Amino acid sequence: MKRMITYALIGIAALWNVSCASFLDESPADRLVVDNFYSSRKDAEAAVSAVYQQLGSLYSRLMYNVAELPTDVMKNGLGMPNAFLQDLEFMRYNSENTFIRDMWNNNYAGIMKANAAINNIPRITMETGLQERLIAEAKFLRALYYFNLVRFFGDVPLVTQLESISDAMGPRIPKDRVYEQIIQDLSDAGSILPLRSGYGSNDEGRATGGAAKILLGKVYLTQGDFAAARDKLAEVVNSESQYGYGLHADYAANWNTETEAGIEAVFYIEYKKPPFPSQGEMGLAGPKYSVPGGNIGVNGSNEADIPTQELWDSFDGKDRRRGVNLRYEFYSLIENGYVRSSIPLFGKYWIDNLAASDQCDVNTHIIRYADALLMYAEALNEVGDPGKAHEVLNRVRERAFGDSSGNFSGLSKEQFREKILDERRLEFPIEGHRWFDLVRTGAFIQRMKDHSAYEASVAESNKTDIAGNLKDYMILMPVPQRELDLNPELTQNPGWN
């Protein structure tokens, strides 16, 4: 039986269940109870499990909504009438958007849980090695939560000692200082956490030393420190067998429940069938309105999250990833055979022949090894090593095409930048990367203008509204208005009301 470390919240869940609370809401807890909690190994393990648990609030769907809807890969289907999600798609969102607010709140809830573990586990009498590892896991997660915040919002409050949401009053701290903390946490974690082989079979989904180094490489890449990104990612890529990483020969193996935790899984959320938490995206992405009769016999399939037409059109017909990421054919339990959707739909999280979407146990990948390779290729190109950059990029391309027919060679540095950005779009749709990629490369505004024109010409005429609503300051999300109202020391990002 796999240990569901992401959700094993024995004893501590009620104490730290603040994922739906405002970052600045009063959440009084008896400090004596909190202090008395940290007294045993089980308490330490439960505290770190609570930090992992917060991932579910972020990556079950929220990350797709905020990091993919306002991009060129995802849009709302007929099953999603939510006005705040429509605003994200059409670039009408503002500081009152509930999903942007949830992104702020859920990341800070994770940070506070991490602070509690990091600050209190050292005083527990327990095995030194396990104690150090648990603290390192909490530091990895705190770094990930802060990385999400600083990429979405820029300058944010930096809290490392406080452990309660109600304590977290304070001003925004310059993002460079936040990045310093992220880098320190990941460096600490990378020096202590074991490799995949250092964990037992019951510990799938835990942070590893390899995951810490790859995430740190992503941090450096986001900062534009390409030499540091190259060097950090090289530590893993040049010794990938030692770290236990590689590419599945079959791209689809990343979402097959038998192989999804294999060599390409760097950091992920383990899902199982009920009564454990299951993968909710199957129902949100599954067919309803676009199939004959509006029903294929799968309870909970509501066609809310769907791909853009431009995403489908961007795939080469020989690219094997297209049939995994996007699909037209679905098995109907009513027809006892396959039926065809009138539009392409997302396919990564769909399992045929399930009678209910909440039975889906496909994992959510937060970091895949393909990401490490494409980041490494990007960094190599930027530091002037095009030969090696093409070699690394083409590993991903060869898997996609089944041979070398899709390979790139002889590109200029600028051409390579464009190709690697587009390759990431084809490799990672609905994995929560696209908005970050477009913003960090400076391509967001122009790409969305081009996307607006493309979609209006081939799919929906009202997509011209996207370009009309775009503003240059949209490379940062607005600080949620509720947080501004509660904390007089907070300020809004430029341009937002």
Side-chain angles (χ1 to χ4, degrees):
M1 174 73 71
K2 297 177 183 177
R3 181 188 303 165
M4 294 295 294
I5 57 95
T6 312
Y7 294 94
L9 304 181
I10 303 171
I12 200 170
L15 183 62
W16 292 109
N17 187 18
V18 294
S19 64
C20 294
S22 167
F23 173 40
L24 297 176
D25 271 353
E26 288 296 327
S27 182
D30 187 325
R31 295 308 177 93
L32 182 61
V33 172
V34 173
D35 289 343
N36 287 344
F37 179 82
Y38 298 93
S39 59
S40 70
R41 168 181 170 167
K42 285 187 177 180
D43 296 339
E45 291 175 331
V48 175
S49 290
V51 193
Y52 278 105
Q53 179 267 344
Q54 197 64 35
L55 295 171
S57 300
L58 284 166
Y59 290 94
S60 61
R61 188 186 184 219
L62 181 60
M63 187 61 73
Y64 309 149
N65 287 335
V66 184
E68 307 246 9
L69 258 181
T71 75
D72 53 353
V73 303
M74 181 176 166
K75 62 183 180 181
N76 292 291
L78 292 177
M80 184 42 64
N82 186 293
F84 292 113
L85 290 178
Q86 296 289 341
D87 288 344
L88 283 168
E89 178 186 348
F90 283 90
M91 309 303 293
R92 298 188 299 252
Y93 54 87
N94 57 33
S95 61
E96 301 282 359
N97 190 281
T98 59
F99 295 92
I100 295 173
R101 182 193 67 200
D102 289 346
M103 182 60 66
W104 176 285
N105 292 343
N106 282 312
N107 277 293
Y108 271 113
I111 288 165
M112 295 307 164
K113 293 176 184 180
N115 287 346
I118 293 165
N119 296 336
N120 289 289
I121 290 176
R123 60 188 178 86
I124 298 175
T125 300
M126 59 183 294
E127 305 95 316
T128 301
L130 177 59
Q131 185 179 55
E132 291 177 345
R133 194 201 82 195
L134 291 172
I135 294 169
E137 289 180 73
K139 285 187 175 182
F140 172 90
L141 292 165
R142 182 170 69 180
L144 176 61
Y145 294 135
Y146 265 124
F147 190 39
N148 289 335
L149 285 168
V150 77
R151 287 184 293 170
F152 275 127
F153 300 102
D155 302 343
V156 293
L158 178 62
V159 185
T160 59
Q161 296 302 312
L162 303 178
E163 302 163 13
S164 168
I165 295 295
S166 60
D167 289 332
M169 301 290 285
R172 300 172 71 184
I173 302 300
K175 65 179 182 180
D176 289 346
R177 174 66 189 92
V178 181
Y179 272 117
E180 288 176 7
Q181 183 64 53
I182 293 169
I183 291 168
Q184 184 63 60
D185 277 348
L186 290 175
S187 297
D188 291 347
S191 67
I192 293 173
L193 289 175
L195 305 185
R196 292 168 58 111
S197 59
Y199 283 113
S201 59
N202 290 330
D203 286 317
E204 289 188 329
R206 289 191 179 275
T208 65
K213 291 181 178 182
I214 291 171
L215 183 56
L216 182 52
K218 184 183 281 285
V219 170
Y220 287 137
L221 196 73
T222 301
Q223 289 183 298
D225 190 343
F226 299 111
R230 174 202 59 191
D231 294 345
K232 184 55 61 176
L233 291 166
E235 291 182 32
V236 179
V237 175
N238 292 341
S239 302
E240 63 181 33
S241 60
Q242 175 187 340
Y243 284 86
Y245 297 137
L247 291 181
H248 286 295
D250 180 6
Y251 177 75
N254 289 297
W255 299 276
N256 182 313
T257 55
E258 300 300 319
T259 54
E260 60 188 357
I263 58 174
E264 199 164 338
V266 174
F267 189 60
Y268 60 95
I269 301 176
E270 176 73 33
Y271 286 116
K272 295 171 73 76
K273 294 184 183 299
F276 298 100
S278 58
Q279 170 59 264
E281 189 57 32
M282 175 174 166
L284 292 164
K288 183 176 182 180
Y289 301 97
S290 62
V291 292
N295 184 8
I296 60 172
V298 179
N299 185 45
S301 182
N302 63 13
E303 203 170 305
D305 302 341
I306 65 175
T308 63
Q309 185 64 43
E310 186 178 21
L311 179 61
W312 170 269
D313 293 345
S314 297
F315 278 97
D316 187 301
K318 297 179 181 179
D319 191 332
R320 297 176 174 182
R321 294 172 298 191
R322 185 176 70 175
V324 178
N325 289 319
L326 311 170
R327 59 188 292 180
Y328 278 95
E329 304 292 331
F330 295 86
Y331 190 84
S332 171
L333 298 176
I334 296 175
E335 301 294 334
N336 293 317
Y338 282 91
V339 297
R340 185 173 177 83
S341 166
S342 60
I343 58 173
L345 300 174
F346 285 120
K348 282 178 176 174
Y349 307 109
W350 184 266
I351 301 177
D352 279 322
N353 290 307
L354 289 184
S357 62
D358 64 3
Q359 298 292 310
C360 178
D361 59 353
V362 175
N363 290 349
T364 289
H365 289 285
I366 297 174
I367 307 173
R368 283 197 287 116
Y369 189 60
D371 192 8
L373 291 176
L374 292 178
M375 290 191 295
Y376 186 40
E378 182 178 346
L380 287 166
N381 179 64
E382 295 297 336
V383 299
D385 191 350
K388 181 68 171 176
H390 282 85
E391 176 186 330
V392 176
L393 168 59
N394 287 336
R395 282 187 62 187
V396 178
R397 296 282 296 179
E398 286 173 12
R399 193 259 298 270
F401 285 80
D403 54 35
S404 61
S405 62
N407 285 359
F408 294 123
S409 62
L411 300 175
S412 68
K413 179 179 283 191
E414 180 57 37
Q415 288 172 329
F416 192 96
R417 286 180 188 142
E418 295 175 2
K419 291 296 184 184
I420 201 81
L421 182 59
D422 196 52
E423 192 66 21
R424 293 183 63 83
R425 173 172 59 162
L426 302 176
E427 181 72 22
F428 303 119
I430 202 167
E431 293 186 53
H433 296 287
R434 187 58 174 169
W435 190 86
F436 298 129
D437 286 340
L438 290 172
V439 169
R440 70 173 176 79
T441 58
F444 179 67
I445 299 299
Q446 188 57 52
R447 174 83 280 273
M448 290 305 293
K449 289 180 179 178
D450 294 342
H451 170 65
S452 176
Y454 185 93
E455 288 289 298
S457 67
V458 302
E460 304 168 57
S461 60
N462 65 340
K463 284 303 180 82
T464 55
D465 293 354
I466 293 176
N469 294 330
L470 274 169
K471 302 293 186 295
D472 289 343
Y473 56 77
M474 287 182 165
I475 56 173
L476 288 175
M477 292 290 178
V479 175
Q481 185 60 46
R482 192 158 186 265
E483 308 308 326
L484 294 168
D485 293 341
L486 291 167
N487 182 359
E489 294 187 89
L490 281 181
T491 57
Q492 184 57 275
N493 277 321
W496 296 101
N497 296 325

